[in-house]
Amino acid sequence: MYHPRELYPSLGTGYRLGPPQPVSDSSFPPALAEGYRYPDLDTTKLDCFLSGIEAAPRTLAAPPPLPPLPPALGTEPSPPAPEALHSLPGVSLSLENQELWKEFNSVGTEMIITKAGRRMFPACRVSVSGLDPEARYLFLLDVVPVDGARYRWQGRRWEPSGKAEPRLPDRVYIHPDSPATGAHWMRQPVSFHRVKLTNSTLDPHGHLILHSMHKYQPRVHLVRAAQLCSQHWGGVASFRFPETMFISVTAYQNPRITQLKIAANPFAKGFRENGRNCKRWAPFIHSLIHVTNPYLPPMYAPGGPCDSTLGGDVRESDPEQAPAPREAVPTPAPPCGGSSAEAYLLHPAAFHGAPSHLPTRNPSFPQVPDSGRPAPYSAAFLELQSGPGGSGYPAAAPPAPFASHFLQGGPLPLPYPGPGAYLDMGSKPMY
DNA sequence: TCGTCTAACACCTTTGAACCGT
DNA sequence: AACGGTTCAAAGGTGTTAGACG
């Protein structure tokens, strides 16, 4: 994974993605644009996506008051239904590993954050439906503060303890497969297990930066896009799942969370029975696996359509209890688009201006024929085409400018992070 | 003294290259 | 030569622990 600043050091540290600039193309109906607003979420980070459809830039209204805090994470009532911002009619998202998330949420999910970056567990894994199989989409994930409080573990529960730290630079993780066709995204669950969280405000790797002891919630964004670098968009849908709320920590506070992590995370197998510290957790873990946990999150057969969408949180326990792979893939899987994306992440510079030796792009996601660009990630602009179906407005509508306000202060051509990377959306005061 | 954070550590899974057989 | 399966080592992810820090 990399960061635009690494990719374009010449831009200096002052380079950042900024708020939208005034848009000359104001043909999009303001009333319709208003419908794209997500009333309950802090959508400022997506303004670069959304502003393209607004008739004119405007000052964002103050966000509505946040819901009251629950007395403790572990005592929350059943979470409400997932909320979504929809400008992609018919598109729906479901949390694949919802039961696992609910189990953690019932205790009070904690996520370790480290200087080097730590993966989320459970990871956000979603299934999407209602996409246009032929159209291409970007999948994004970000993590936003839930409230303005800092938390402290009081031995038995989390309690607010003061005001939150100033908000850190907003970053967005781009799924490595992006952009991919709707058929690709709907073929199997989309996993964000590679997302890493850090508490390093100077993190050079582009991980999502969080404050410790703060409450956060992941959000998943779906953007209809003709290709990764595009000027025009074709609709946005944002989703969040209440059960995915968590508190960031540098060390686990609630022992029950530790137990759950060890029981559910394959990488922590060494701390189960027969492993280190087995005596400490074995009784609980054994009961958790064999008694109190009749369900298991779906496991996926290896060698699926695309590795980058699989993996993540797979509870290892009774193979007998493990359900069959959620969805068999009847036809041979296409080559994974993630391979080239991964290569891009490892050596992004090689993809810019070096077309002759670029890795082969996934044939499922052919380049736009008339793009005239040597490589999928070498384009200077993000082009999100408006079109029928997804966006809810006539295909004939003039395309809305998109990427022109993605970046602020950077020279052209505009660098745009490749898939699997992060967007630095700048920093906005929250409180 | 307390709460928080960091780095080293051992154990584990994942990944990919090398090798072999068909 | 191409393909598929197996093996192995390296890379990376995990929680624990001790100690540093404010």
Side-chain angles (χ1 to χ4, degrees), chain A residues 143-226:
Chain A
V143 176
V144 294
V146 170
D147 52 32
R150 179 187 176 90
Y151 286 80
R152 169 179 290 184
W153 176 251
Q154 298 288 38
R156 298 188 64 179
R157 62 172 57 185
W158 286 97
E159 293 179 357
S161 95
K163 193 178 175 183
E165 299 290 324
R167 189 161 178 178
L168 293 162
D170 296 328
R171 286 177 172 176
V172 176
Y173 175 83
I174 306 172
H175 192 281
D177 288 6
S178 302
T181 62
H184 173 84
W185 294 121
M186 293 187 291
R187 186 177 299 129
Q188 73 282 313
V190 180
S191 174
F192 289 91
H193 65 280
R194 292 186 195 274
V195 173
K196 283 189 175 180
L197 310 177
T198 181
N199 60 344
S200 173
T201 55
L202 300 176
D203 169 65
H205 304 103
H207 302 324
L208 305 184
I209 305 173
L210 308 181
H211 282 303
S212 182
M213 302 292 179
H214 286 59
K215 200 176 195 177
Y216 290 94
Q217 181 167 38
R219 297 185 307 182
V220 176
H221 311 284
L222 191 56
V223 180
R224 181 165 170 159

Side-chain angles (χ1 to χ4, degrees), chain A residues 63-80:
Chain A
L66 292 158
L69 289 171
L73 275 178
T75 59
E76 288 185 67
S78 300

Side-chain angles (χ1 to χ4, degrees), chain A residues 97 100-101 103-105 108-113 118-125 191-197 218 244-247 252 257-268 272 297 311-316:
Chain A
N97 47 355
L100 186 60
W101 274 105
E103 184 172 346
F104 276 87
N105 188 59
T109 311
E110 298 173 22
M111 293 289 179
I112 291 282
I113 57 176
R118 196 80 148 186
R119 287 187 175 184
M120 291 175 63
F121 187 90
C124 289
R125 191 170 61 216
S191 174
F192 289 91
H193 65 280
R194 292 186 195 274
V195 173
K196 283 189 175 180
L197 310 177
T244 60
M245 239 184 294
F246 65 86
I247 288 182
Y252 289 126
I257 282 296
T258 308
Q259 296 162 357
L260 274 173
K261 297 258 184 176
I262 292 173
N265 192 334
F267 284 106
R272 302 179 197 168
D313 37 78
V314 175
R315 179 190 298 275
E316 284 200 352

Side-chain angles (χ1 to χ4, degrees), chain A residues 5-16:
Chain A
R5 291 195 184 96
E6 294 177 292
L7 183 53
Y8 292 90
S10 61
L11 297 178
T13 55
Y15 154 69
R16 69 179 184 89

Side-chain angles (χ1 to χ4, degrees), chain A residues 79-153:
Chain A
E83 303 169 60
L85 156 72
H86 253 306
S87 65
L88 293 173
V91 174
S92 65
L93 216 66
S94 63
L95 189 61
E96 270 293 303
N97 47 355
Q98 186 182 47
E99 292 306 313
L100 186 60
W101 274 105
K102 281 182 175 177
E103 184 172 346
F104 276 87
N105 188 59
S106 69
V107 179
T109 311
E110 298 173 22
M111 293 289 179
I112 291 282
I113 57 176
T114 66
K115 190 176 179 180
R118 196 80 148 186
R119 287 187 175 184
M120 291 175 63
F121 187 90
C124 289
R125 191 170 61 216
V126 299
S127 287
V128 60
S129 61
L131 300 177
D132 179 350
E134 304 297 324
R136 297 206 283 175
Y137 300 84
L138 309 176
F139 251 107
L140 315 173
L141 182 140
D142 65 357
V143 176
V144 294
V146 170
D147 52 32
R150 179 187 176 90
Y151 286 80
R152 169 179 290 184
W153 176 251

Side-chain angles (χ1 to χ4, degrees), chain A residues 352-426:
Chain A
H352 294 266
S356 60
H357 56 278
L358 285 171
T360 305
R361 183 66 174 160
N362 184 343
S364 298
F365 320 130
Q367 294 183 51
V368 176
D370 60 353
S371 68
R373 295 176 179 124
Y377 307 136
S378 64
F381 295 91
L382 186 69
E383 186 171 349
L384 304 179
Q385 290 183 340
S386 62
S391 62
Y393 61 89
F402 177 75
S404 58
H405 46 258
F406 232 105
L407 299 159
Q408 213 175 17
L412 298 178
L414 299 174
Y416 188 80
Y422 299 83
L423 281 174
D424 192 340
M425 308 300 280

